[in-house]
Amino acid sequence: MRKTLGVVAGATLAFSVVAGALAGGIYAAGGRLNTSKSLELGLYFITERPVEKGAYVMVCPPQSQVFDEARARGYIDSGFCPGGYGHLMKKILAAKGDTVSATPEGVTVNGVVLPYSKPFAADGIGRPLPQYSPDHYTLGESELFLMSDRSPTSFDGRYFGPITRGQVTSVIRPVLTWKGE
């Protein structure tokens, strides 16, 4: 019995070492795992593609009260970005020259309502959510508007507004994704 436990423990340790080395190698090669609702679940890789409308990006949120509260409530993770925030993975749905409006029906870009963009007044446990509510705001030279294009409950631009290009750390592309709940 003792010998069997030793073999199992050894195999478990060997598997853990191999899995850790594989995960570390994927990360070093630019692989990033998305586990949030903002994008499809799965593996994304950092690319050299330009920061432009339609791109998936990783961003360090700007230091602000909105993001302090988002981290405290668990909407975003803690991490290595300034302010102790974790990276966000979102899609750029508006950029320089686009006009953004936030209405009770949803966020519009150049007059078109974005899918999954209707803002909620409160989160799932009743806490009030911040509201970004400009009426026809035209994005400036370095501004981007980030949203989820698949989840109605993503913490995204409808709650925190535009960010600057300087917050983008990487453009990413999906490599292996799957549908989540």
Side-chain angles (χ1 to χ4, degrees):
M1 175 81 161
R2 189 173 278 176
K3 185 175 180 180
T4 303
L5 289 177
V7 170
V8 169
T12 301
L13 177 61
F15 176 78
S16 297
V17 168
V18 169
L22 180 61
I26 290 170
Y27 185 86
R32 300 297 183 266
L33 187 63
N34 177 52
T35 59
S36 79
K37 296 178 185 178
S38 296
L39 305 177
E40 284 193 341
L41 301 175
L43 181 62
Y44 291 73
F45 266 84
I46 294 172
T47 72
E48 296 297 321
R49 294 178 181 167
V51 175
E52 62 188 3
K53 192 171 171 178
Y56 293 115
V57 292
M58 289 181 59
V59 300
C60 276
Q63 289 183 271
S64 71
Q65 180 62 37
V66 169
F67 286 105
D68 287 343
E69 192 167 314
R71 185 186 60 217
R73 290 181 174 187
Y75 304 158
I76 65 173
D77 292 329
S78 295
F80 299 107
C81 292
Y85 308 138
H87 278 93
L88 300 179
M89 297 170 96
K90 304 286 182 201
K91 187 172 186 177
I92 300 172
L93 291 178
K96 175 189 170 190
D98 287 327
T99 300
V100 176
S101 295
T103 71
E105 292 75 39
V107 173
T108 67
V109 174
N110 302 324
V112 177
V113 177
L114 299 175
Y116 310 108
S117 68
K118 182 177 180 176
F120 293 96
D123 66 13
I125 59 173
R127 298 174 293 191
L129 286 165
Q131 299 295 311
Y132 175 70
S133 55
D135 188 29
H136 297 81
Y137 177 76
T138 301
L139 295 176
E141 180 74 31
S142 67
E143 292 180 305
L144 303 170
F145 202 81
L146 308 178
M147 295 282 299
S148 170
D149 62 351
R150 66 173 313 274
S151 173
T153 60
S154 173
F155 185 73
D156 53 28
R158 74 188 113 175
Y159 302 111
F160 56 77
I163 62 137
T164 64
R165 286 179 176 273
Q167 308 303 139
V168 175
T169 59
S170 304
V171 175
I172 54 176
R173 67 178 173 82
V175 175
L176 177 62
T177 61
W178 55 91
K179 301 282 185 210
E181 290 186 49

Coordinates of all heavy atoms in Angstrom, one line a residue, residues 9-79:
A9 N 2.1 9.4 -5.8 CA 2.6 10.7 -5.5 C 3.7 11.1 -6.5 O 3.7 12.3 -6.9 CB 3.1 10.7 -4.1
G10 N 4.5 10.2 -6.8 CA 5.6 10.5 -7.8 C 5.0 10.9 -9.2 O 5.4 11.8 -9.8
A11 N 4.0 10.1 -9.6 CA 3.4 10.4 -10.9 C 2.7 11.7 -10.9 O 2.7 12.5 -11.9 CB 2.4 9.3 -11.3
T12 N 2.0 12.0 -9.8 CA 1.3 13.3 -9.6 C 2.3 14.5 -9.7 O 2.1 15.5 -10.4 CB 0.5 13.4 -8.3 OG1 -0.4 12.3 -8.3 CG2 -0.2 14.7 -8.2
L13 N 3.4 14.3 -9.0 CA 4.5 15.3 -9.0 C 5.0 15.5 -10.4 O 5.2 16.6 -10.9 CB 5.6 15.0 -8.0 CG 6.8 16.0 -8.0 CD1 6.3 17.4 -7.6 CD2 7.8 15.5 -7.1
A14 N 5.3 14.4 -11.1 CA 5.9 14.5 -12.5 C 4.9 15.2 -13.4 O 5.3 16.0 -14.2 CB 6.2 13.1 -13.0
F15 N 3.6 14.8 -13.3 CA 2.6 15.4 -14.1 C 2.5 16.9 -13.9 O 2.4 17.7 -14.8 CB 1.2 14.8 -13.9 CG 0.1 15.5 -14.6 CD1 -0.1 15.2 -16.0 CD2 -0.7 16.4 -14.0 CE1 -1.1 15.9 -16.7 CE2 -1.7 17.0 -14.7 CZ -1.9 16.8 -16.1
S16 N 2.6 17.3 -12.6 CA 2.5 18.7 -12.2 C 3.7 19.5 -12.8 O 3.5 20.6 -13.3 CB 2.5 18.9 -10.7 OG 1.3 18.3 -10.2
V17 N 4.9 18.9 -12.7 CA 6.1 19.6 -13.3 C 6.0 19.7 -14.8 O 6.2 20.8 -15.3 CB 7.3 18.8 -12.9 CG1 8.6 19.3 -13.7 CG2 7.6 18.9 -11.4
V18 N 5.5 18.7 -15.5 CA 5.4 18.8 -16.9 C 4.3 19.8 -17.3 O 4.5 20.6 -18.2 CB 5.0 17.4 -17.5 CG1 4.6 17.5 -19.0 CG2 6.3 16.5 -17.4
A19 N 3.2 19.8 -16.6 CA 2.1 20.7 -16.9 C 2.5 22.1 -16.6 O 2.2 23.0 -17.4 CB 0.8 20.4 -16.1
G20 N 3.2 22.4 -15.6 CA 3.8 23.7 -15.3 C 4.8 24.2 -16.3 O 4.7 25.3 -16.7
A21 N 5.6 23.3 -16.7 CA 6.6 23.7 -17.8 C 5.9 24.0 -19.1 O 6.3 24.9 -19.8 CB 7.6 22.5 -18.0
L22 N 4.9 23.2 -19.4 CA 4.1 23.4 -20.7 C 3.4 24.8 -20.6 O 3.5 25.6 -21.5 CB 3.1 22.3 -20.9 CG 2.3 22.4 -22.2 CD1 3.1 22.4 -23.4 CD2 1.3 21.3 -22.2
A23 N 2.8 25.1 -19.5 CA 2.0 26.3 -19.3 C 3.0 27.5 -19.3 O 2.8 28.5 -20.0 CB 1.3 26.3 -18.0
G24 N 4.2 27.3 -18.7 CA 5.2 28.4 -18.7 C 5.7 28.6 -20.1 O 6.0 29.8 -20.5
G25 N 5.9 27.6 -20.9 CA 6.4 27.7 -22.3 C 5.4 28.4 -23.1 O 5.7 29.3 -23.9
I26 N 4.1 28.1 -23.0 CA 3.0 28.8 -23.7 C 3.0 30.2 -23.4 O 2.9 31.1 -24.2 CB 1.7 28.1 -23.5 CG1 1.7 26.7 -24.2 CG2 0.5 28.9 -24.0 CD1 0.5 25.8 -23.8
Y27 N 3.1 30.5 -22.1 CA 3.1 32.0 -21.7 C 4.3 32.7 -22.2 O 4.1 33.8 -22.8 CB 3.1 32.0 -20.1 CG 2.9 33.5 -19.6 CD1 1.7 34.0 -19.5 CD2 4.0 34.2 -19.3 CE1 1.5 35.3 -19.0 CE2 3.9 35.5 -18.9 CZ 2.7 36.1 -18.8 OH 2.5 37.4 -18.3
A28 N 5.4 32.1 -22.2 CA 6.6 32.7 -22.7 C 6.5 33.0 -24.2 O 7.1 33.9 -24.7 CB 7.9 31.9 -22.4
A29 N 5.8 32.1 -24.9 CA 5.6 32.3 -26.3 C 4.5 33.3 -26.7 O 4.3 33.5 -27.9 CB 5.3 30.9 -27.0
G30 N 3.9 33.8 -25.7 CA 2.8 34.8 -25.9 C 1.4 34.4 -25.7 O 0.5 35.1 -26.0
G31 N 1.3 33.2 -25.2 CA -0.1 32.6 -24.9 C -0.7 33.2 -23.7 O 0.0 33.4 -22.7
R32 N -2.0 33.6 -23.8 CA -2.7 34.1 -22.6 C -4.0 33.4 -22.6 O -4.7 33.2 -23.6 CB -2.9 35.6 -22.8 CG -1.6 36.4 -22.9 CD -0.8 36.3 -21.6 NE 0.4 37.1 -21.6 CZ 1.6 36.7 -22.0 NH1 1.8 35.5 -22.4 NH2 2.6 37.5 -22.0
L33 N -4.4 33.0 -21.4 CA -5.7 32.3 -21.2 C -6.8 33.3 -20.7 O -6.6 34.0 -19.8 CB -5.5 31.2 -20.1 CG -6.7 30.2 -19.9 CD1 -6.9 29.4 -21.2 CD2 -6.4 29.3 -18.7
N34 N -7.9 33.2 -21.4 CA -9.0 34.1 -21.0 C -10.0 33.2 -20.3 O -10.5 32.2 -20.9 CB -9.7 34.7 -22.2 CG -10.9 35.5 -21.8 OD1 -10.9 36.3 -20.9 ND2 -12.1 35.2 -22.4
T35 N -10.4 33.6 -19.1 CA -11.4 32.9 -18.3 C -12.6 33.8 -18.0 O -13.4 33.4 -17.2 CB -10.8 32.3 -17.0 OG1 -10.3 33.4 -16.3 CG2 -9.7 31.3 -17.3
S36 N -12.7 35.0 -18.6 CA -13.8 35.9 -18.3 C -14.8 35.8 -19.4 O -14.6 35.2 -20.5 CB -13.2 37.3 -18.3 OG -13.1 37.8 -19.6
K37 N -16.0 36.4 -19.1 CA -17.1 36.4 -20.1 C -16.9 37.4 -21.2 O -17.7 37.4 -22.2 CB -18.4 36.7 -19.4 CG -18.8 35.7 -18.3 CD -20.1 36.2 -17.7 CE -20.5 35.4 -16.5 NZ -21.7 35.9 -15.9
S38 N -15.9 38.3 -21.1 CA -15.8 39.3 -22.1 C -15.5 38.9 -23.5 O -16.0 39.4 -24.5 CB -14.7 40.3 -21.7 OG -15.1 40.9 -20.5
L39 N -14.7 37.8 -23.6 CA -14.4 37.2 -24.9 C -14.7 35.7 -24.7 O -14.9 35.2 -23.6 CB -12.9 37.4 -25.2 CG -12.3 38.8 -25.2 CD1 -10.8 38.7 -25.5 CD2 -13.0 39.6 -26.3
E40 N -14.6 35.0 -25.8 CA -14.8 33.5 -25.7 C -13.7 33.0 -24.8 O -12.6 33.4 -24.9 CB -14.8 32.9 -27.1 CG -16.1 33.1 -27.9 CD -16.1 32.2 -29.1 OE1 -15.1 31.6 -29.6 OE2 -17.3 32.0 -29.6
L41 N -14.1 32.0 -24.0 CA -13.1 31.3 -23.2 C -12.0 30.7 -24.1 O -12.4 30.2 -25.2 CB -13.8 30.3 -22.3 CG -14.9 30.7 -21.4 CD1 -15.5 29.5 -20.7 CD2 -14.4 31.7 -20.4
G42 N -10.8 30.7 -23.6 CA -9.8 30.0 -24.4 C -8.4 30.6 -24.4 O -8.1 31.5 -23.6
L43 N -7.6 30.1 -25.3 CA -6.2 30.5 -25.5 C -6.1 31.6 -26.6 O -6.6 31.4 -27.7 CB -5.4 29.3 -25.8 CG -3.9 29.5 -26.0 CD1 -3.2 30.0 -24.7 CD2 -3.2 28.2 -26.4
Y44 N -5.4 32.7 -26.2 CA -5.2 33.8 -27.1 C -3.6 34.0 -27.2 O -2.9 33.7 -26.2 CB -5.8 35.1 -26.6 CG -7.3 35.0 -26.7 CD1 -8.1 34.3 -25.8 CD2 -8.0 35.7 -27.7 CE1 -9.5 34.2 -25.9 CE2 -9.4 35.7 -27.8 CZ -10.1 34.9 -26.9 OH -11.5 34.8 -27.0
F45 N -3.2 34.4 -28.3 CA -1.7 34.7 -28.5 C -1.5 36.2 -28.8 O -2.3 36.8 -29.5 CB -1.1 33.8 -29.5 CG -0.5 32.6 -29.0 CD1 -1.3 31.5 -28.8 CD2 0.9 32.5 -28.6 CE1 -0.7 30.3 -28.2 CE2 1.4 31.4 -28.1 CZ 0.6 30.3 -27.9
I46 N -0.5 36.8 -28.2 CA -0.1 38.1 -28.5 C 0.4 38.2 -29.9 O 1.1 37.3 -30.4 CB 1.1 38.6 -27.5 CG1 0.5 38.6 -26.1 CG2 1.7 39.9 -27.9 CD1 1.5 38.9 -25.0
T47 N 0.0 39.3 -30.6 CA 0.4 39.4 -32.0 C 1.1 40.8 -32.2 O 1.1 41.6 -31.3 CB -0.8 39.4 -33.0 OG1 -1.6 40.6 -32.8 CG2 -1.7 38.2 -32.7
E48 N 1.5 41.0 -33.4 CA 2.1 42.3 -33.8 C 1.1 43.1 -34.6 O 1.5 44.2 -35.2 CB 3.4 42.1 -34.7 CG 4.5 41.4 -33.9 CD 5.0 42.2 -32.7 OE1 5.1 43.4 -32.8 OE2 5.3 41.6 -31.7
R49 N -0.1 42.7 -34.6 CA -1.2 43.5 -35.3 C -1.4 44.9 -34.7 O -1.1 45.1 -33.5 CB -2.5 42.7 -35.3 CG -2.4 41.4 -36.0 CD -3.7 40.6 -35.9 NE -3.6 39.4 -36.7 CZ -4.5 38.4 -36.5 NH1 -5.5 38.5 -35.8 NH2 -4.3 37.3 -37.2
P50 N -1.9 45.8 -35.5 CA -2.0 47.2 -35.0 C -3.2 47.3 -34.0 O -4.1 46.5 -34.1 CB -2.3 48.0 -36.3 CG -2.8 47.0 -37.3 CD -2.2 45.7 -36.9
V51 N -3.1 48.3 -33.2 CA -4.2 48.6 -32.3 C -5.3 49.4 -33.1 O -5.0 50.5 -33.5 CB -3.7 49.5 -31.1 CG1 -4.9 49.9 -30.2 CG2 -2.7 48.8 -30.3
E52 N -6.3 48.7 -33.5 CA -7.4 49.3 -34.3 C -8.7 48.8 -34.0 O -8.9 47.7 -33.3 CB -7.0 49.1 -35.8 CG -7.0 47.6 -36.2 CD -6.5 47.4 -37.6 OE1 -6.1 48.4 -38.3 OE2 -6.5 46.2 -38.0
K53 N -9.7 49.5 -34.5 CA -11.1 49.0 -34.3 C -11.3 47.6 -34.8 O -10.8 47.2 -35.8 CB -12.0 50.0 -35.1 CG -13.5 49.9 -34.8 CD -14.2 51.0 -35.4 CE -15.7 50.8 -35.3 NZ -16.4 52.0 -36.0
G54 N -11.9 46.8 -33.9 CA -12.2 45.4 -34.3 C -11.2 44.4 -33.7 O -11.4 43.2 -33.6
A55 N -10.0 45.0 -33.2 CA -9.0 44.1 -32.6 C -9.4 43.7 -31.1 O -10.0 44.5 -30.4 CB -7.7 44.9 -32.6
Y56 N -8.9 42.5 -30.8 CA -9.0 42.1 -29.4 C -7.7 42.6 -28.7 O -6.6 42.4 -29.3 CB -9.1 40.6 -29.3 CG -10.4 40.0 -29.8 CD1 -10.4 39.2 -30.9 CD2 -11.6 40.3 -29.1 CE1 -11.6 38.6 -31.3 CE2 -12.7 39.7 -29.6 CZ -12.7 38.9 -30.7 OH -13.9 38.4 -31.1
V57 N -7.8 43.1 -27.5 CA -6.6 43.7 -26.8 C -6.6 43.3 -25.4 O -7.6 43.0 -24.8 CB -6.6 45.2 -27.0 CG1 -6.4 45.7 -28.4 CG2 -7.9 45.9 -26.4
M58 N -5.4 43.4 -24.8 CA -5.2 43.3 -23.4 C -4.8 44.7 -23.0 O -4.0 45.4 -23.6 CB -4.0 42.4 -23.0 CG -4.4 40.9 -23.3 SD -3.1 39.8 -22.8 CE -2.8 40.1 -21.1
V59 N -5.4 45.2 -21.9 CA -5.2 46.5 -21.4 C -4.9 46.5 -19.9 O -5.5 45.7 -19.2 CB -6.4 47.5 -21.7 CG1 -6.6 47.6 -23.2 CG2 -7.6 47.1 -21.0
C60 N -4.1 47.5 -19.5 CA -4.0 47.8 -18.0 C -5.0 48.9 -17.8 O -4.8 50.0 -18.4 CB -2.6 48.2 -17.7 SG -1.4 46.9 -17.4
P61 N -6.0 48.7 -16.9 CA -6.9 49.8 -16.7 C -6.2 51.0 -16.1 O -5.3 50.9 -15.4 CB -7.9 49.2 -15.7 CG -7.7 47.7 -15.7 CD -6.3 47.5 -16.2
P62 N -6.8 52.2 -16.4 CA -6.2 53.4 -15.8 C -6.5 53.4 -14.3 O -7.6 52.9 -13.9 CB -6.9 54.5 -16.5 CG -8.2 53.9 -17.0 CD -7.9 52.5 -17.3
Q63 N -5.7 54.0 -13.5 CA -5.9 54.1 -12.0 C -7.0 55.1 -11.8 O -6.9 56.2 -12.2 CB -4.7 54.5 -11.3 CG -3.6 53.4 -11.3 CD -2.4 53.8 -10.5 OE1 -1.5 54.4 -11.0 NE2 -2.4 53.5 -9.2
S64 N -8.1 54.6 -11.2 CA -9.3 55.4 -10.9 C -10.2 54.7 -9.9 O -10.0 53.5 -9.6 CB -10.1 55.7 -12.2 OG -10.8 54.5 -12.6
Q65 N -11.1 55.5 -9.3 CA -12.0 55.0 -8.3 C -12.9 53.9 -8.9 O -13.2 52.9 -8.3 CB -12.9 56.1 -7.8 CG -13.9 55.7 -6.7 CD -13.3 55.1 -5.5 OE1 -12.2 55.6 -5.1 NE2 -13.9 54.1 -4.9
V66 N -13.3 54.0 -10.2 CA -14.1 53.0 -10.8 C -13.4 51.7 -10.8 O -14.0 50.6 -10.5 CB -14.5 53.5 -12.3 CG1 -15.1 52.3 -13.1 CG2 -15.4 54.7 -12.3
F67 N -12.1 51.7 -11.2 CA -11.4 50.4 -11.2 C -11.0 49.9 -9.8 O -10.9 48.7 -9.6 CB -10.2 50.5 -12.2 CG -10.6 50.5 -13.6 CD1 -10.6 51.7 -14.3 CD2 -11.1 49.4 -14.2 CE1 -11.0 51.7 -15.7 CE2 -11.5 49.4 -15.5 CZ -11.5 50.5 -16.2
D68 N -10.8 50.8 -8.9 CA -10.5 50.4 -7.5 C -11.8 49.6 -7.0 O -11.6 48.5 -6.4 CB -10.3 51.6 -6.6 CG -8.9 52.3 -6.8 OD1 -8.0 51.6 -7.4 OD2 -8.8 53.4 -6.3
E69 N -12.9 50.2 -7.2 CA -14.2 49.5 -6.8 C -14.4 48.2 -7.6 O -14.8 47.2 -7.0 CB -15.4 50.4 -6.9 CG -16.6 49.9 -6.2 CD -17.7 51.0 -6.1 OE1 -17.4 52.1 -5.8 OE2 -18.8 50.6 -6.4
A70 N -14.1 48.2 -8.9 CA -14.3 47.0 -9.7 C -13.4 45.9 -9.2 O -13.8 44.7 -9.1 CB -14.0 47.3 -11.1
R71 N -12.2 46.2 -8.8 CA -11.3 45.2 -8.2 C -11.8 44.7 -6.9 O -11.8 43.5 -6.6 CB -9.8 45.7 -8.1 CG -8.9 44.6 -7.7 CD -7.5 45.1 -7.4 NE -7.6 46.1 -6.4 CZ -6.8 47.2 -6.3 NH1 -6.0 47.5 -7.2 NH2 -7.0 48.1 -5.3
A72 N -12.2 45.6 -6.0 CA -12.7 45.3 -4.7 C -13.9 44.4 -4.8 O -14.1 43.5 -4.0 CB -13.0 46.5 -3.9
R73 N -14.8 44.6 -5.8 CA -16.0 43.8 -6.0 C -15.8 42.5 -6.8 O -16.7 41.7 -6.9 CB -17.0 44.6 -6.7 CG -17.6 45.7 -5.8 CD -18.6 46.5 -6.6 NE -19.3 47.5 -5.8 CZ -20.4 48.2 -6.2 NH1 -20.9 47.9 -7.4 NH2 -20.9 49.1 -5.5
G74 N -14.6 42.3 -7.3 CA -14.3 41.1 -8.1 C -14.7 41.2 -9.5 O -14.7 40.1 -10.2
Y75 N -15.0 42.3 -10.1 CA -15.3 42.5 -11.5 C -14.0 42.3 -12.3 O -14.1 41.9 -13.5 CB -15.9 43.8 -11.8 CG -17.1 44.2 -11.1 CD1 -17.5 45.6 -11.0 CD2 -18.0 43.3 -10.5 CE1 -18.6 46.0 -10.3 CE2 -19.1 43.7 -9.8 CZ -19.4 45.1 -9.7 OH -20.5 45.5 -9.0
I76 N -12.9 42.8 -11.8 CA -11.6 42.6 -12.4 C -10.6 42.0 -11.4 O -10.9 42.1 -10.2 CB -11.0 43.9 -12.9 CG1 -10.7 44.9 -11.8 CG2 -11.9 44.5 -14.0 CD1 -9.9 46.1 -12.3
D77 N -9.6 41.3 -11.8 CA -8.7 40.6 -10.9 C -7.6 41.6 -10.5 O -7.4 42.7 -11.1 CB -8.0 39.5 -11.7 CG -8.9 38.4 -12.0 OD1 -9.9 38.1 -11.3 OD2 -8.6 37.7 -13.1
S78 N -6.9 41.2 -9.4 CA -5.7 41.9 -9.0 C -4.6 41.4 -9.9 O -4.7 40.3 -10.5 CB -5.4 41.6 -7.6 OG -6.3 42.1 -6.7
G79 N -3.6 42.3 -10.1 CA -2.5 41.9 -11.0 C -1.3 42.8 -10.9 O -1.1 43.5 -10.0

